[in-house]
Amino acid sequence: VVMHGWMRRRRRGPFRWGWKTRYFALYRDSALYQFKDADACTRFFAAGNGGDGDDGGPAARPEAMLSLGTIVGVRSSAEGSVPGGLGVDLVDVHGSESFAVGGGSGGVGDADAASDHALWLRALADAVGRGNARLHSVTQDPDALLVRRGTR
């Protein structure tokens, strides 16, 4: 796990909207996992990504997994587009997915939220950049390198 912590993810759909606070874990450069809480994240990775937990009970499962293989860019969210103003957008060919940083369990303050925002932005941009570089090494397409760390 490269990075983990609380973020809010925008809910989408005809009957679901708003922001949902969840615990996220960036696994290697390949996926962003979503969990109900930090304990579920710990149990999931301690069990080797599945199977039984260390205590013999069932291991936690992620609520969602976002593959970074389709993400071509990472940027800081536009001002006012996410609660608290600190967000990260993951961009793919279909649009973008927004995550608001801070406001998780434990009452994250403004200074902590700004620090977390910078850390998430850097970790996700680096992961997507490495993926784009791998794609470039296979395709030799120079456009694969253009969106390594796109910030507004």
Side-chain angles (χ1 to χ4, degrees):
V1 175
V2 175
M3 176 146 186
H4 55 94
W6 293 98
M7 291 193 289
R8 287 169 282 172
R9 184 178 188 182
R10 186 187 308 262
R11 295 187 220 173
R12 296 182 184 202
F15 302 106
R16 297 170 53 194
W17 56 276
W19 293 86
K20 185 178 187 178
T21 301
R22 288 295 184 250
Y23 199 83
F24 289 86
L26 176 59
Y27 182 70
R28 298 187 180 166
D29 291 341
S30 61
L32 185 63
Y33 286 95
Q34 175 183 314
F35 298 92
K36 182 178 180 180
D37 55 35
D39 184 53
C41 177
T42 300
R43 288 194 331 259
F44 177 73
F45 287 108
N49 295 330
D52 289 338
D54 291 339
D55 59 2
R61 301 273 184 230
E63 292 182 334
M65 189 272 296
L66 179 67
S67 172
L68 296 183
T70 61
I71 304 298
V72 296
V74 178
R75 64 183 180 216
S76 187
S77 299
E79 190 172 330
S81 67
V82 298
L86 296 172
V88 175
D89 293 339
L90 300 180
V91 182
D92 68 9
V93 296
H94 302 291
S96 67
E97 176 102 25
S98 296
F99 297 85
V101 179
S105 289
V108 175
D110 288 343
D112 289 338
S115 175
D116 286 349
H117 176 257
L119 291 171
W120 274 112
L121 189 61
R122 177 66 179 239
L124 289 165
D126 287 349
V128 170
R130 285 187 290 270
N132 289 348
R134 282 190 297 277
L135 179 62
H136 174 336
S137 71
V138 172
T139 65
Q140 297 301 308
D141 181 358
D143 289 340
L145 297 176
L146 293 178
V147 205
R148 283 189 77 112
R149 194 181 327 265
T151 57
R152 289 182 188 224

